[in-house]
Amino acid sequence: MSLFKSKMFKTTTTLLCFFLTSVILMVPTSSAATDNPTYSASTDTFIYANCSPAKFSPGSAYETNLKSLLSSLVTSTVLNRYNNLTVPFGSGVKPEPDVTVYGLFQCSVDLDPTSCSSCVSRAIALVGNTCPNSYSVFLQMQNCLVRYDKSSFFGVQDKTVMLKKCGQPMGFYDQDALTRVSDVIGSLGSGSEPDRTRMNGDVLGMAQCTEDLSPAQCQDCLTDAIGQLRSDCLMAQGGYVYLSKCYARFSFGGSHARQTPNSNFGGEKYDKDDDDNNIGKTLVIIIGIITLVILLVLLLAFLGKKLRKLQDDKCCR
């Protein structure tokens, strides 16, 4: 009898260890991919482009002037981080409809001339594939922009929303992070400079308006962009609002790469598929645990039945 009980105990212990090991293996470990991976920002990363549906004819005078304009913009990055030009050149030249090209470039204030030139050159290289033969193009990179049109837009206020996006929800429990974000977004609204960088802990915020605007126009544009950023993205882990003549954005960890929409980024964008995958994994774990518990109960019931039968046989002898 004691030998039988000993064997039954060993069998039960072995099965319990097997079940517990199975449960542990089903639970994801901390080495799995995190929800907020770190991405490195690039000055040459494409953000968005806005192309006019109206097209010019290849080989036209407009195309010739456009090529001259774009070449001159790249050249001027050596000495400036902002410049606007009109082609044909010269104050005495009378603009001709559908022939004259107005254009500008602008780099972030923290870019050195080499990085600025690289960013603008990359943007211009993308124009041909992104907006072939368009009369009007607005192409925004991570840290620079290039814009041209057949009509002058210099000094004209324009607060049209070009692109707006918020990151994944931060969660109400992280009050310290919410405070830092609120502080950074709020501080972006103060100041007179067209380029603004604010930081609080690991939260970095940036705002910029094109330098063809007057200080009053710049502040008006930034107030609008910052207001939308606060109202729409305050509870998010990052976000941006790009208007036609300015933008405001913020992120955690000092990189805005986590809040951009294209395939070069991706950490900050809210992805429903990720949530669906996480929910699916959780359900699999729960179902697995329930199944193992049921099997364990059945095993214990079987062992109990065997023990009772053994006791009955002993009593009947």
Side-chain angles (χ1 to χ4, degrees), residues 86 88-95:
T86 303
F89 299 104
S91 57
V93 179
K94 183 179 180 180

Side-chain angles (χ1 to χ4, degrees), residues 35-80:
D35 292 334
N36 297 306
T38 301
Y39 297 84
S40 60
S42 170
T43 59
D44 295 349
T45 302
F46 171 79
I47 302 297
Y48 73 88
N50 187 23
C51 321
S52 69
K55 308 285 186 179
F56 60 81
S57 301
S60 64
Y62 188 87
E63 182 180 43
T64 301
N65 291 337
L66 175 60
K67 289 180 179 179
S68 177
L69 171 84
L70 296 179
S71 176
S72 298
L73 289 179
V74 173
T75 302
S76 62
T77 59
V78 176
L79 299 175
N80 308 281

Side-chain angles (χ1 to χ4, degrees), residues 92-112:
V93 179
K94 183 179 180 180
E96 299 180 42
D98 298 337
V99 174
T100 303
V101 188
Y102 305 85
L104 63 77
F105 80 90
Q106 182 163 327
C107 293
S108 297
V109 68
D110 58 338
L111 288 191
D112 58 74

Side-chain angles (χ1 to χ4, degrees), residues 186-206:
S187 63
L188 286 173
S190 61
S192 58
E193 66 276 20
D195 289 274
R196 303 173 190 181
T197 301
R198 306 288 188 265
M199 198 165 191
N200 187 340
D202 58 347
V203 181
L204 174 65
M206 295 183 70

Side-chain angles (χ1 to χ4, degrees), residues 26 54 94 188 211 225 236 264 310:
M26 292 179 67
K94 183 179 180 180
L188 286 173
E211 293 187 24
N264 292 316
L310 182 61

Side-chain angles (χ1 to χ4, degrees), residues 49 53-54 97 106 121 130 132 134 152 162 165 188 194 208 212 254 282 317:
Q106 182 163 327
S121 298
T130 308
S134 289
S152 178
M162 309 295 285
K165 197 171 192 68
L188 286 173
Q208 183 186 57
D212 61 310
T282 302
R317 289 177 181 177

Side-chain angles (χ1 to χ4, degrees), residues 8 44 93 113 124 129 135 142 145 173 176 199 206 223 229 232 236 238 247 261 267 284 292:
M8 291 293 291
D44 295 349
V93 179
I124 290 174
N129 293 329
Y135 269 114
Q142 179 76 0
L145 67 88
Y173 60 89
D176 289 339
M199 198 165 191
M206 295 183 70
T223 297
L229 187 66
D232 294 352
Y247 71 78
V284 168
L292 290 174

Side-chain angles (χ1 to χ4, degrees), residues 21 34 40 42 51 71 85 100 107 163 165 179 203 220 241 269 276 303 305 316:
T21 302
T34 60
S40 60
S42 170
C51 321
S71 176
L85 298 170
T100 303
C107 293
L163 190 66
K165 197 171 192 68
T179 300
V203 181
D220 178 50
V241 175
K269 183 175 65 174
D276 290 342
L303 293 176
K305 183 178 180 180
C316 293

